[in-house]
Amino acid sequence: MTQNPSALDPKKSFQGLILTLQTFWARQGAVVLQPYDMEVGAGTFHPATTLRSLGKKPWKAAYVQPSRRPKDGRYGENPNRLQHYYQFQVILKPSPDNLQDLYLQSLAAIGVDSALHDIRFVEDDWESPTLGAWGLGWECWCDGMEVSQFTYFQQVAGVECSPVSGELTYGLERLAMYVQGVENVYDLNFNGLEGDARISYGDVFLQAEQEYSRHNFEAADVKKLFGDFDRAEAECKALLAFGERGDEKHLMVLPAYDQCVKASHAFNLLDARGVISVTERQSYILRVRELAKACGAAWMKTDGAGLNG
Amino acid sequence: MSDLLLELFSEEIPARMQAQAAADLKKLVTDALVERGLLYEAATSFATPRRLTLHIVGLPPSQPDQREEKKGPRVGAPEAAVAGFLKSAGFSSLDEARIDTDKKGGQFYVAVIEKKGAPTLDVLAEILPAVVKNFPWPKSMRWGAASAEVNPLRWVRPLHAIVATFGPETEEPDIVPFEVGGIKAGNVTYGHRFMAPAAIQVRRFDDYVSKLYDAKVVLDPARRRDIILHDCKDLAFAQGLELVEDEGLLHEVAGLVEWPVVLMGEFDAGFLDIPGEVIRATIRANQKCFVLRDPATGGLANKFLLVSNVLATDGGKAIAAGNGRVVRARLSDALYFWQTDQGPLPDFSASGKPPLDQRLEKLRALNIVFHAKLGTQGERIDRIIALARELAPKVGADPDKAARAAELAKADLVTEVVGEFPETQGLMGRRYAELQGEDAEVAAAIEEHYKPQGPTDRIPNAPVSVAVALADKLDTLVGFWAIDEKPTGSKDPFALRRAALGVIRLILENRLRFALRGTILATHHLVENQFAELNTQREEAGQRVESFVSPVRIADDLLSFFADRLKIDLRDRGARHDLLDAVFALGEDDLVLIVRRIEALDAFLKTEDGTSLLAGYKRAANILKAEEKKDGAGAFEAAPSADLLAEAEEKALFVAMETATAEADAALKAENFEAAMQALSKLRAPVDAFFDKVTVNAENPELRRNRLSLLAHLRRAIHLVADFSKIGG
Ligand SMILES: Nc1ncnc2c1ncn2[C@@H]1O[C@H](COP(=O)(O)OP(=O)(O)O)[C@@H](O)[C@H]1O
Ligand SMILES: [Mg+2]
């Protein structure tokens, strides 16, 4: 097979864009991880962010995270809103002084020319009520399109961040639409090839978007989901209790945290199905938050948080 | 005289906080200076997305010297007293003190302490870091490695550099020597993030502003707004379109750019099927762009204006195209919401009812709590339906239509469009109602029942709209009064003052005639009945709701709340405060009559008859007051006896009063206040004559009492029209 440079070009292929970002952040000293193998609403839920942002230990990581937003399903008919999309997540602890510059350099690396485009930092204080987390920052706009979220974490899982981490979340499809100059996400060139060899984003994901939109809004089994939520909640608590050894090191945070993630996803699906009333909504969010907080507190009693230096 | 230039350079400051932050910066620094004896000529502050800047002109080079004289002990006082004096004055021996002689010839020590004023530069070095550390941002944050330390510097976003120079115009200024959060003040700032990011050395405000301008930063937000507005209008005009002006948006976008460049974008004309308000809300809320009107159609055009922050190398083509793409995506979302709302609702379509009714069912099924003590939205809707039906005949509306409008009034709260753009509530309900073929008056009432929102909002006058608007507001007011959650001071979380003013304006503007007390009691009756019914269902759940306040107290209290609102409203429109009090003292609860009475009174008091009747009244009232002190309150309230009238003038007054009161009474019954006042004005001559000729405090106690009774009778007669005692001279 002959080599095709377009396959890696961030301006010509979706995968090239991902690889370029990975390379960029690897050069900045980040560990490049792979996606977390669970259904999550955002890269923030990856334990490499939620849990690793807690405690004093410095940490730099970058990874792609498939993100599921059941409510954002549009049956494949919206040009830039998907119920399953890719986030590129960067977490740097402590936040470096030149984080904005690094972010802009990374955009330049994937071909966003700041002499041609209007890049803006627009106030958007990030808050995840389910994670018991908040931070201050911006939505980053490119020609009016929100392409990233930029946050200085102040609190995560109910724990004050000390030191503060900087989090960058790139919306990969939207960025790719920019650099490739396409109007519709499904027209993105995925592999950078042309002619018969060309694979578009639609080739890979359109059917999935249609089927999952149907699933999220019409078919997801509500009764089962309520059950999933309750079971995940119970298991999270049980696992935390299992790993708890008083003041000593906690022995089972990560598996417990997985259950918290599960409960959160069940809640998102129920929400998309429109079966959670406004009042109940609050109480579900609180229940997930309690789990997240308990996991955060447990994490603080582990080496990962720098318990023993 | 010297000037200060201060710039705090940070990462992007939220647009909505910039103006307040600039104002705070100015106030904090100037207050601190004045407090330290440093007066200045002028101070101005500015904000851009990345900097807060303060310029203070005309500061002295140092604080004024201070001279203080401290009186000490007499000469020859005990050693302890002398030692204390030396210590407090900071002297080492008595030689440094002056000796004064008092009037009696005694000698005592005086310490003259002179404190040289500190150089302003030093004072600034002390003030500025404190201002930065304690800056009142509505939300602030920690960042970087320092965030793990105790008490790190907090700022709205990471702070990067500080410029602080101070000096007279003629010389090279000094850098104010201070450091805060590891940042040393200096004379270096930076230009536009993309177009001129290099470091810039500045000296003072003048070169600072012009160097920034050269580096593509317009410092003054007012100037940025002017540029934006002007360019928007120009671009619109060139296309034969009109800008839909939006002051709030203008302020916001001026806070998002340092170098405004207005560009025009476009979207597919097919999206113009979406209601204009939704298009505008979408483009405004999500994209912060202005929409344009096509004067030919009166509707929106398929173009919009965006404000970018860069002069792009391609003249902005890519930027306009990119924004157009996002607007299209947003509008396709809006279109999706708008169409979804017109279709059946998955779990509620079985009833076969029209779409908006299905939303209403969902709203009820969701059991959305309106207020913990006042039940759910669904329960509230039931009350509003009943109340609208009851009010309908009083305002000339068809009761069935009023009830139907009330039923659907809140259904749009669960539509997709309103969920996305809450500001379109009411309007969307109206649109969806029209689409499902509701009566035009019903559809209009769905939108208008929220009105009037503020003092300048339009007041509905279609009867069905008025009925539902009143029902909605009265239910809220009576409900909150029943659970005793009234507004206090600046706290009015449920906007009850606005609701009360809304009721008042609906009534006055539509000249609605009804006794408010009765309506309040009727509303309360509905609330109470519903509570009782609900309580039987909720007993076990321990969620009893009930009215804690007796109906009569609610009515009294709420009426005086209305009275206060009405007074404020009338006063704002120029009515005399004392006349308001004079009429309100009567306890009337028909607002239309109250206002008419005030108007008549105002006109009457401008006539000569009016002023002299008032003078006569005051004279009578003063005498009565003095005599009542002796004889006790109410001592003269018995009717005067005709037999005891001695002088011709008092007889005349007595007779005149009989006719005047009868006439005034009849006029009042006919609600003719002018005539009532006219009738009373005939008392003017007899009253004047009475005071001229008759001695009220006669020797004969019987005569005295009768004359005082005559005056009390006069007072009562005049009070039929208004409480004249409240009227100023
Ligand atoms: N439904 C979606 N489809 C495609 N891209 C999306 C979607 N939602 C968000 N994004 C992109 O992902 C980025 C991060 O999403 P955001 O909602 O801000 O993340 P978070 O929930 O982590 O704050 C956004 O800036 C946007 O570019
Ligand atoms: Mg976001």
Side-chain angles (χ1 to χ4, degrees):
Chain A
M1 224 171 103
T2 51
Q3 290 235 338
N4 190 321
S6 299
L8 297 182
D9 184 340
K11 300 187 84 159
K12 297 201 170 121
S13 79
F14 187 57
Q15 62 204 36
L17 180 117
I18 295 175
L19 293 166
T20 308
L21 282 175
Q22 288 182 334
T23 311
F24 178 90
W25 287 105
R27 289 210 172 101
Q28 299 298 329
V31 291
V32 175
L33 299 173
Q34 300 304 316
Y36 203 55
D37 58 343
M38 291 190 68
E39 295 152 312
V40 292
T44 312
F45 277 82
H46 195 309
T49 293
T50 25
L51 297 179
R52 290 278 177 181
S53 63
L54 302 178
K56 295 225 176 302
K57 248 184 170 173
W59 175 245
K60 290 184 183 182
Y63 53 90
V64 176
Q65 182 61 51
S67 303
R68 303 220 188 196
R69 306 258 165 114
K71 260 187 148 167
D72 279 357
R74 293 289 182 275
Y75 296 84
E77 280 163 20
N78 185 286
N80 69 14
R81 191 175 296 281
L82 305 158
Q83 59 81 43
H84 169 285
Y85 74 99
Y86 286 124
Q87 289 189 345
F88 189 84
Q89 171 86 358
V90 179
I91 176 93
L92 303 171
K93 180 171 75 171
S95 65
D97 275 350
N98 61 345
L99 188 53
Q100 278 188 314
D101 285 337
L102 289 175
Y103 171 70
L104 294 171
Q105 284 169 32
S106 73
L107 290 188
I110 55 174
V112 178
D113 179 357
S114 64
L116 208 56
H117 293 287
D118 183 28
I119 302 169
R120 223 87 72 71
F121 294 90
V122 180
E123 175 192 17
D124 186 28
D125 295 343
W126 175 83
E127 186 188 14
S128 168
T130 42
L131 276 182
W134 68 277
L136 299 191
W138 311 273
E139 300 178 341
C140 306
W141 285 18
C142 181
D143 300 344
M145 164 104 80
E146 181 200 343
V147 292
S148 310
Q149 187 81 21
F150 189 133
T151 308
Y152 292 101
F153 280 168
Q154 304 293 300
Q155 192 190 73
V156 174
V159 181
E160 285 286 297
C161 295
S162 174
V164 162
S165 302
E167 182 207 48
L168 304 175
T169 305
Y170 301 76
L172 288 176
E173 287 81 356
R174 293 188 182 174
L175 268 172
M177 287 167 69
Y178 259 81
V179 294
Q180 291 189 25
V182 303
E183 300 275 320
N184 190 314
V185 63
Y186 298 103
D187 296 335
L188 283 174
N189 188 331
F190 209 109
N191 61 351
L193 304 185
E194 293 305 331
D196 287 348
R198 180 182 197 271
I199 300 285
S200 72
Y201 194 89
D203 293 334
V204 183
F205 284 122
L206 180 58
Q207 184 183 333
E209 280 299 311
Q210 293 163 339
E211 292 186 4
Y212 275 104
S213 294
R214 255 170 247 139
H215 167 265
N216 302 343
F217 294 124
E218 301 166 41
D221 183 339
V222 172
K223 231 172 113 192
K224 175 191 163 284
L225 287 168
F226 278 119
D228 286 353
F229 186 95
D230 292 341
R231 274 189 300 279
E233 182 185 40
E235 190 167 358
C236 177
K237 289 180 181 164
L239 295 175
L240 283 174
F242 184 96
E244 177 70 52
R245 293 287 186 276
D247 281 342
E248 286 169 55
K249 200 188 257 186
H250 198 284
L251 301 178
M252 197 160 296
V253 184
L254 291 160
Y257 178 69
D258 283 354
Q259 298 304 317
C260 166
V261 170
K262 250 196 190 122
S264 167
H265 183 64
F267 163 74
N268 285 344
L269 276 171
L270 287 165
D271 200 23
R273 288 285 275 126
V275 292
I276 294 190
S277 75
V278 175
T279 16
E280 285 173 321
R281 202 163 185 278
Q282 196 50 31
S283 89
Y284 275 97
I285 289 174
L286 279 175
R287 282 164 72 183
V288 181
R289 173 153 69 211
E290 285 316 309
L291 301 180
K293 279 170 121 174
C295 291
W299 174 261
M300 294 304 286
K301 296 203 260 170
T302 68
D303 294 339
L307 180 70
N308 296 318
Chain B
M1 286 289 137
S2 295
D3 304 344
L4 169 74
L5 167 65
L6 174 69
E7 182 202 64
L8 300 162
F9 181 78
S10 67
E11 298 181 8
E12 277 74 357
I13 306 166
R16 66 189 169 91
M17 298 178 190
Q18 290 167 18
Q20 186 61 48
D24 286 342
L25 180 64
K26 176 166 129 181
K27 180 162 179 9
L28 290 171
V29 176
T30 53
D31 282 359
L33 285 168
V34 171
E35 204 176 286
R36 288 163 182 75
L38 288 166
L39 303 182
Y40 59 96
E41 276 161 25
T44 349
S45 60
F46 306 91
T48 80
R50 297 172 82 199
R51 51 199 104 220
L52 288 182
T53 300
L54 174 65
H55 180 214
I56 302 184
V57 182
L59 278 165
S62 62
Q63 285 174 313
D65 294 343
Q66 279 169 351
R67 187 167 186 279
E68 191 190 357
E69 293 200 357
K70 270 192 187 167
K71 190 170 174 225
R74 59 183 169 78
V75 173
E79 203 150 309
V82 172
F85 168 66
L86 290 178
K87 194 169 168 219
S88 80
F91 291 168
S92 47
S93 84
L94 279 175
D95 297 344
E96 292 173 63
R98 195 177 73 199
I99 295 174
D100 280 8
T101 309
D102 64 19
K103 281 189 207 121
K104 291 179 201 145
Q107 288 195 314
F108 60 95
Y109 294 107
V110 175
V112 180
I113 304 164
E114 286 190 341
K115 227 175 92 191
K116 276 216 76 60
T120 305
L121 193 66
D122 295 354
V123 178
L124 284 167
E126 169 211 327
I127 291 173
L128 298 181
V131 167
V132 172
K133 272 191 212 134
N134 303 316
F135 203 79
W137 291 108
K139 257 192 202 168
S140 64
M141 56 166 274
R142 303 168 290 127
W143 66 92
S147 61
E149 285 156 24
V150 274
N151 273 330
L153 175 63
R154 301 181 70 93
W155 202 244
V156 65
R157 292 293 183 277
L159 182 66
H160 282 290
I162 299 174
V163 169
T165 68
F166 179 74
E169 212 167 325
T170 46
E171 289 166 31
E172 190 66 24
D174 292 313
I175 288 172
V176 183
F178 73 95
E179 192 178 311
V180 60
I183 303 164
K184 228 176 132 175
N187 60 358
V188 174
T189 184
Y190 303 86
H192 187 278
R193 186 187 273 291
F194 299 107
M195 294 192 284
I200 305 168
Q201 240 192 48
V202 298
R203 300 173 65 238
R204 53 184 35 267
F205 187 71
D206 292 346
D207 69 304
Y208 167 79
V209 172
S210 67
K211 282 175 184 163
L212 275 186
Y213 190 81
D214 291 341
K216 299 284 186 278
V217 175
V218 179
L219 179 68
D220 186 352
R223 190 148 166 232
R224 296 197 299 276
R225 289 197 293 274
D226 284 348
I227 296 173
I228 295 169
L229 190 59
H230 178 263
D231 291 358
C232 278
K233 285 184 173 164
D234 266 8
L235 274 179
F237 181 77
Q239 299 282 322
L241 301 173
E242 283 165 11
L243 173 69
V244 177
E245 288 195 37
D246 188 329
E247 191 63 22
L249 182 61
L250 179 62
H251 273 80
E252 185 175 4
V253 293
L256 288 172
V257 294
E258 292 204 308
W259 190 262
V261 179
V262 181
L263 298 167
M264 187 176 284
E266 199 175 342
F267 56 87
D268 189 0
F271 286 121
L272 292 174
D273 290 344
I274 307 171
E277 294 80 0
V278 178
I279 294 182
R280 180 172 173 202
T282 305
I283 291 184
R284 177 190 205 280
N286 296 306
Q287 295 315 123
K288 311 198 194 298
C289 294
F290 295 90
V291 290
L292 295 161
R293 202 178 0 245
D294 183 350
T297 65
L300 292 186
N302 64 328
K303 300 231 165 55
F304 62 93
L305 293 171
L306 68 108
V307 183
S308 85
N309 189 34
V310 286
L311 263 177
T313 44
D314 68 347
K317 278 204 198 73
I319 297 174
N323 274 277
R325 203 151 47 199
V326 189
V327 164
R328 282 195 288 285
R330 290 291 189 184
L331 289 178
S332 92
D333 258 352
L335 186 62
Y336 169 83
F337 294 145
W338 162 244
Q339 285 167 345
T340 307
D341 287 341
Q342 295 170 44
L345 203 53
D347 297 324
F348 297 90
S349 54
S351 63
K353 288 189 181 164
L356 200 53
D357 292 78
Q358 291 181 29
R359 269 74 193 171
L360 175 63
E361 276 182 44
K362 179 173 176 185
L363 180 85
R364 290 183 185 279
L366 284 176
N367 278 324
I368 298 170
V369 175
F370 167 65
H371 180 284
K373 290 186 190 160
L374 291 173
T376 64
Q377 280 281 19
E379 288 155 5
R380 185 166 127 75
I381 290 170
D382 290 337
R383 295 198 298 270
I384 299 176
I385 295 173
L387 194 54
R389 188 181 279 287
E390 193 159 319
L391 286 168
K394 298 189 186 177
V395 303
D398 177 307
D400 289 337
K401 287 185 187 175
R404 176 67 175 153
E407 184 181 14
L408 292 177
K410 310 287 181 191
D412 69 354
L413 291 178
V414 290
T415 61
E416 301 284 334
V417 170
V418 175
E420 196 69 15
F421 307 112
E423 70 269 33
T424 60
Q425 70 177 19
L427 177 84
M428 294 323 295
R430 176 186 194 153
R431 288 294 157 89
Y432 297 134
E434 283 165 356
L435 284 167
Q436 69 179 35
E438 297 295 332
D439 178 272
E441 286 175 75
V442 169
I446 293 174
E447 178 183 6
E448 294 182 334
H449 88 279
Y450 287 111
K451 290 180 181 293
Q453 287 284 355
T456 54
D457 196 15
R458 191 176 64 79
I459 295 159
N461 51 32
V464 178
S465 303
V466 172
V468 186
L470 281 175
D472 184 36
K473 294 172 179 65
L474 284 169
D475 173 70
T476 307
L477 287 163
V478 174
F480 281 99
W481 252 255
I483 60 169
D484 207 13
E485 285 203 27
K486 298 174 277 186
T488 49
S490 61
K491 281 207 207 77
D492 184 11
F494 303 100
L496 299 177
R497 292 195 180 100
R498 191 169 75 191
L501 186 59
V503 171
I504 291 170
R505 298 185 58 219
L506 280 161
I507 291 177
L508 292 183
E509 220 85 4
N510 290 297
R511 308 234 136 217
L512 301 177
R513 298 296 310 281
F514 53 80
L516 208 44
R517 175 181 294 276
T519 311
I520 292 171
L521 288 170
T523 311
H524 179 263
H525 192 64
L526 281 171
V527 173
E528 186 102 293
N529 278 351
Q530 201 190 41
F531 282 179
E533 205 173 294
L534 292 171
N535 281 335
T536 49
Q537 300 162 18
R538 286 186 183 162
E539 203 71 47
E540 306 106 71
Q543 287 180 312
R544 280 188 69 86
V545 284
E546 58 196 320
S547 180
F548 301 108
V549 186
S550 81
V552 176
R553 236 194 74 206
I554 293 174
D556 285 349
D557 226 47
L558 199 46
L559 273 178
S560 75
F561 186 69
F562 275 119
D564 288 344
R565 294 291 104 197
L566 178 56
K567 275 189 199 169
I568 293 172
D569 187 45
L570 291 173
R571 203 167 48 203
D572 288 350
R573 290 196 264 152
R576 270 172 61 180
H577 192 146
D578 54 343
L579 302 194
L580 298 175
D581 288 339
V583 171
F584 274 101
L586 303 178
E588 171 82 78
D589 69 342
D590 179 325
L591 302 185
V592 173
L593 287 191
I594 290 179
V595 172
R596 276 181 33 202
R597 205 185 272 259
I598 290 170
E599 285 164 0
L601 185 58
D602 190 32
F604 178 59
L605 287 176
K606 284 185 181 132
T607 63
E608 219 193 304
D609 280 350
T611 41
S612 51
L613 184 68
L614 177 63
Y617 168 88
K618 294 247 147 166
R619 198 158 162 194
N622 286 339
I623 294 173
L624 281 166
K625 211 161 127 198
E627 299 311 306
E628 277 166 352
K629 270 203 191 116
K630 296 176 200 155
D631 295 39
F636 313 114
E637 292 306 321
S641 142
D643 300 342
L644 287 170
L645 300 169
E647 312 275 343
E649 287 76 10
E650 59 182 323
K651 285 183 184 150
L653 178 59
F654 184 80
V655 175
M657 214 134 54
E658 297 286 275
T659 34
T661 339
E663 269 178 46
D665 244 351
L668 286 175
K669 286 216 175 75
E671 295 176 1
N672 188 343
F673 301 112
E674 291 78 8
M677 293 187 200
Q678 215 45 59
L680 289 180
S681 75
K682 291 182 194 146
L683 291 174
R684 174 193 167 183
V687 168
D688 287 351
F690 175 87
F691 281 124
D692 256 6
K693 294 276 155 51
V694 183
T695 313
V696 178
N697 280 317
E699 301 264 326
N700 177 338
E702 288 221 305
L703 283 188
R704 167 180 173 268
R705 171 173 300 271
N706 201 49
R707 282 171 188 169
L708 286 165
S709 293
L710 190 61
L711 290 184
H713 188 44
L714 172 70
R715 185 170 66 180
R716 280 197 304 277
I718 292 177
H719 280 186
L720 287 175
V721 169
D723 184 346
F724 272 48
S725 71
K726 306 264 196 239
I727 300 175

